[in-house]
Amino acid sequence: MDILFVIVVMMAIGALIGGVTNSLAIRMLFRPYNPIYIFGKRVPFTPGLIPKRRSELADQLGKLVMEHLLTAESMKRRLMNSSFKEKSEQWIKEEVDRYLDKGISGPRSTYEVWDRGRRNPFSRKFASNRGE
């Protein structure tokens, strides 16, 4: 029974130490936001690592997104997807309808261009440029 008590106490102490050190590590990453000076000397580890390298992190995240998530090929595939085209045309029609229903005077011809679709000479020109 004594050994079980010792194991439980050691687990509790380990959990407490782990929680305190994790809390300290997180605080050191994010806080303080600005450097702290005492007698003209900067206190070590101020500002925190994340605020100190904010611009570096932003640049690296931007590169990551552009190189792996939003590649030109993936965007091209998405834009050429027929369901995406249909949904975008439907959304544009709804927005134009909502705009015109408000009673705001606007170019009625814009609505007619979208409404007639391929019968419009402009849309035929765009379709032929895309190879359709």
Side-chain angles (χ1 to χ4, degrees), residues 1-102:
M1 195 66 170
D2 289 334
I3 192 137
L4 183 64
F5 178 74
V6 170
I7 290 174
V8 170
V9 169
M10 290 178 74
M11 286 174 51
I13 291 172
L16 180 67
I17 291 171
V20 169
T21 56
N22 286 346
S23 174
L24 178 64
I26 296 297
R27 286 178 186 261
M28 287 178 73
L29 280 174
F30 291 99
R31 296 183 190 158
Y33 301 114
N34 299 313
I36 298 173
Y37 293 94
I38 297 178
F39 304 117
K41 302 271 188 188
R42 187 175 63 84
V43 176
F45 308 114
T46 62
L49 185 62
I50 304 274
K52 185 179 194 177
R53 297 189 174 174
R54 184 178 181 177
S55 64
E56 278 181 60
L57 287 170
D59 291 340
Q60 291 299 322
L61 280 174
K63 285 180 185 176
L64 175 82
V65 167
M66 291 303 294
E67 292 174 1
H68 298 286
L69 298 177
L70 294 177
T71 63
E73 186 60 34
S74 68
M75 293 300 290
K76 187 177 182 180
R77 267 196 320 262
R78 176 72 173 170
L79 292 173
M80 296 312 251
N81 187 351
S82 61
S83 66
F84 178 77
K85 288 179 184 178
E86 291 169 6
K87 288 177 184 178
S88 354
E89 284 181 9
Q90 183 63 31
W91 177 78
I92 290 170
K93 285 180 184 179
E94 290 170 2
E95 290 299 313
V96 169
D97 283 341
R98 194 176 70 176
Y99 176 76
L100 293 174
D101 288 343
K102 285 183 180 178

